[in-house]
Amino acid sequence: MTVGLRIPAALPAAAAAYAAAGIKVFRVRRNKTPYANCPRCDRQSSIYIKHRPEDCQCGIPTCHGFWAATTDPALIHKWWTEEPDANIGAPCKLNGWAVIDVDPRNGGRESLLALEKRVGVLPGTTTQVTGGDGLHMLYLSPGFDLPGEPFPGIDFKHNGYILLAPSMHASGGRYQWAGGVQFHAPTVAWPAALLPRKERPAIPAPRPARHRFPIHGERSKGRPGGGRMWTVTDLVQHVMDAGKGHRNNAFFFAACRAHELAEQNLIDLCDACSGLMSAAAAVGLTESEARASFDSAATRPGDRGAA
């Protein structure tokens, strides 16, 4: 797919430009509905034949909305010659995209701020300003379905479609790519923090610890009293995996291990603190209670002094 694609201002030329870049598009009405279905595919028709949209054999390319999306230049020319004011629709999954759709009319901006406060700032990616002053943040498809509307005013669009610039919103505003008239193909993976828990990539097992600080007379690097050798990543994951009702205990346990390992020069305490505070925010702990718990772990006798 072309990177840095300049998008013409006219809808027919823009549709052709997207298609030439390998992006599947289809016509959409101003009310965001696809163009009319044929009688065999219209559920209200007396000759309707039940079938899956992707298995349609009616022979009418515009029959099933985004299932009709194509890069065929002749068909796209025909469509927009017939309807030069038709908006440009693009199916998300069929183009390899997953999109965060932020709708400010339904509290999307506030939800986005709250989300980033919990999981951290989302990775920068190709972004479109919608005609309704919202945002489309385009990422690469994770390869499996995502929840549709996880937060007020935010929609994860994967199975559906979005409109592409310079389509016109019902309000009269035009869609436009952030930063100008160029479209840049998304190259950033869907944020791992937004993946369903079962789909999050597994954290690889730590490699056998080596003596990173071979100072003469240094005490043993093994965990006091033996047992598992934790890494900062392990500790963060321990907090993230804690079930509801156990998150405070999981955080305190991780904080104790962090102080123990830092005393042995096996991890950096600042790195551990930063990672654990981010994990605490992600699972819903307040900054004040997490900070108090982390500081309390520093004074807990525990087994840090065990030989």
Side-chain angles (χ1 to χ4, degrees), residues 91-275:
C92 298
K93 184 192 292 187
L94 295 182
N95 280 309
W97 305 339
V99 179
I100 299 177
D101 182 359
V102 181
D103 183 0
R105 296 170 300 174
N106 295 309
R109 289 175 179 165
E110 292 77 11
S111 290
L112 182 61
L113 289 173
L115 174 63
E116 291 194 320
K117 189 172 182 179
R118 284 183 55 192
V119 305
V121 177
L122 297 176
T125 188
T126 299
T127 301
Q128 180 175 232
V129 180
T130 72
D133 203 26
L135 294 176
H136 285 158
M137 302 169 67
L138 279 64
Y139 293 95
L140 297 178
S141 169
F144 46 80
D145 291 342
L146 298 167
E149 298 181 6
F151 310 101
I154 291 183
D155 189 4
F156 289 171
K157 289 192 171 179
H158 191 223
N159 289 325
Y161 65 89
I162 60 172
L163 298 185
L164 302 181
S167 294
M168 181 175 287
H169 190 265
S171 65
R174 291 277 183 185
Y175 287 69
Q176 57 184 323
W177 295 108
V181 296
Q182 287 194 338
F183 166 77
H184 294 268
T187 59
V188 181
W190 181 260
L194 302 184
L195 291 173
R197 184 177 295 276
K198 65 179 181 179
E199 303 292 354
R200 292 176 188 170
I203 298 176
R207 296 179 179 179
R210 296 181 178 180
H211 293 283
R212 295 181 294 168
F213 305 98
I215 302 174
H216 179 68
E218 184 184 34
R219 58 183 171 174
S220 170
K221 298 295 193 303
R223 180 175 179 267
R228 177 176 177 178
M229 176 59 69
W230 295 79
T231 66
V232 173
T233 301
D234 292 332
L235 297 174
V236 169
Q237 192 64 53
H238 180 74
V239 176
M240 296 294 290
D241 290 341
K244 190 173 183 181
H246 302 283
R247 292 165 181 166
N248 280 296
N249 288 339
F251 182 86
F252 185 65
F253 173 87
C256 290
R257 301 292 82 74
H259 284 287
E260 291 172 9
L261 294 167
E263 287 183 0
Q264 299 177 74
N265 293 326
L266 291 174
I267 64 171
D268 184 281
L269 188 59
C270 290
D271 288 345
C273 180
S274 177

Side-chain angles (χ1 to χ4, degrees), residues 23-43:
I23 302 170
K24 296 179 180 180
V25 296
F26 65 103
R27 294 186 300 181
V28 182
R29 298 180 187 277
R30 290 292 167 85
N31 63 0
K32 293 188 178 182
T33 60
Y35 275 70
N37 296 326
C38 70
R40 284 182 53 182
C41 302
D42 185 350
R43 295 180 183 274

